[in-house]
């Protein structure tokens, strides 16, 4: 109950706080928002077939395709519900940076992206500075695996080119390497993108490709002749 003596300002402040908390809670609720490409992913399709079999064994005959369509309908309904309720909230969310949405992992991503950082001195060979997970416990690993830094690049391994925020992060990583390793003249940063399959379906080593590669060169000292 409000304390005696509450004025209009106090009631308006409490209402505003309650509205923000309600919008944040709805924004952060992990409602399923699925696309067909998500569910036809080989890993997700294995799960759909498994659940189809379990439902059929329990006396609810359901084909994998029926289960897929049910999931798509549920995802579209929850997406429309959230979008309709939160549309007035979006301008405030953009202005204040207070979005609380997050993804619920329904199945593992079979296309893993591994951040890789290499360096080399003038005329030398490239050598590895960081390749997740290193387990070295050095300064660069501590910086790149800090949760707020990792959140910038964790979902970037499937992009053929780095986003603007990823390029800024790459430039920062290169500057850190140059500052602490004065013998290095170049730094390259990219993602190793590999397709991971179940052990019983593995016929050969996973194919690995480089994604979002950028190379940085040490700037010459001020006044130096290039």
């Amino acid at each position: 109950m409000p304390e005696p003596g509450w004025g209009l300002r106090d009631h308006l402040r409490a209402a505003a706080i309650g509205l923000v908390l309600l919008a944040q809670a709805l924004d952060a609720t992990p409602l399923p928002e699925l696309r067909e490409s998500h569910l036809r992913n080989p890993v997700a399709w294995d799960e759909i077939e498994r659940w189809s079999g379990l439902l059929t064994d329990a006396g609810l005959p359901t084909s994998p395709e029926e289960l897929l369509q049910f999931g798509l309908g549920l995802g579209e309904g929850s997406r429309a519900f959230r979008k309709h309720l939160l549309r007035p909230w979006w301008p405030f969310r953009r202005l204040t940076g207070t979005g609380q949405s997050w993804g619920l992992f329904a199945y593992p991503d079979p296309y893993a992206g591994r951040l890789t950082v290499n360096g080399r001195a003038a005329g030398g060979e490239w050598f590895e500075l960081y390749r997740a997970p290193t387990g070295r416990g050095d300064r660069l690993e501590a910086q790149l695996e800090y949760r707020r830094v990792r959140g910038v690049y964790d979902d970037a391994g499937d992009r053929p080119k780095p986003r603007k925020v990823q390029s800024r992060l790459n430039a920062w990583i290169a500057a850190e390497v140059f500052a602490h390793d004065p013998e290095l003249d170049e730094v390259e940063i990219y993602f190793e993108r590999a397709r991971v399959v179940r052990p019983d379906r593995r016929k050969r080593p996973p194919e690995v490709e480089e994604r979002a590669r950028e190379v940085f060169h040490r700037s010459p000292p001020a006044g130096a002749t290039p």
Side-chain angles (χ1 to χ4, degrees):
M1 295 292 294
E3 295 181 6
W6 271 38
L8 178 61
R9 179 180 178 182
D10 298 311
H11 287 287
L12 291 176
R13 181 172 180 268
I17 293 174
L19 182 62
V20 169
L21 291 176
L22 178 63
Q24 295 284 61
L26 182 59
D27 203 8
T29 302
L31 299 177
E33 298 183 7
L34 303 171
R35 299 191 183 101
E36 186 166 353
S37 59
H38 295 157
L39 297 182
R40 293 199 184 276
N41 176 292
V43 178
W45 188 253
D46 283 345
E47 286 296 303
I48 289 175
E49 289 183 326
R50 187 171 71 87
W51 279 102
S52 171
L54 290 173
L55 290 171
T56 300
D57 292 342
L60 299 171
T62 307
S63 70
E65 191 65 31
E66 289 174 331
L67 194 56
L68 180 143
Q69 295 303 325
F70 173 79
L72 291 177
L74 184 64
E76 177 59 27
S78 66
R79 186 195 66 80
F81 171 74
R82 191 204 304 268
K83 183 177 179 180
H84 177 74
L85 288 184
L86 291 181
R87 187 184 296 276
W89 170 253
W90 288 348
F92 179 80
R93 172 182 173 176
R94 286 195 297 268
L95 178 65
T96 60
T98 53
Q100 294 293 319
S101 59
W102 61 284
L104 182 64
F105 300 104
Y107 57 88
D109 184 0
Y111 296 98
R114 186 201 307 268
L115 180 65
T116 304
V117 182
N118 296 326
R120 72 175 174 181
E125 298 291 330
W126 289 107
F127 66 94
E128 182 182 294
L129 297 172
Y130 175 83
R131 183 171 179 266
T134 67
R136 297 170 182 167
D138 59 9
R139 175 194 53 80
L140 188 59
E141 179 186 53
Q143 289 178 314
L144 296 181
E145 295 188 3
Y146 176 57
R147 59 186 178 86
R148 292 190 180 275
V149 175
R150 192 179 68 242
V152 177
Y153 65 82
D154 245 356
D155 191 37
D158 59 347
R159 296 184 175 91
K161 295 182 179 180
R163 295 183 303 169
K164 188 176 295 185
V165 66
Q166 179 66 39
S167 289
R168 290 199 293 264
L169 176 66
N170 289 350
W172 174 80
I173 294 171
E176 286 291 304
V177 171
F178 288 140
H180 292 87
D181 296 287
E183 74 280 3
L184 296 181
D185 291 282
E186 291 182 283
V187 171
E188 69 172 353
I189 302 170
Y190 59 89
F191 286 90
E192 289 183 349
R193 186 173 184 264
R195 181 181 177 185
V196 181
V197 299
R198 290 186 349 197
D200 61 324
R201 298 188 178 183
R202 186 176 301 156
K203 298 180 180 180
R204 58 180 180 273
E207 298 178 0
V208 178
E209 62 174 312
E210 293 183 7
R211 284 287 184 100
R213 182 176 182 268
E214 288 191 288
V215 177
F216 297 85
H217 305 272
R218 181 185 294 277
S219 300
T225 302

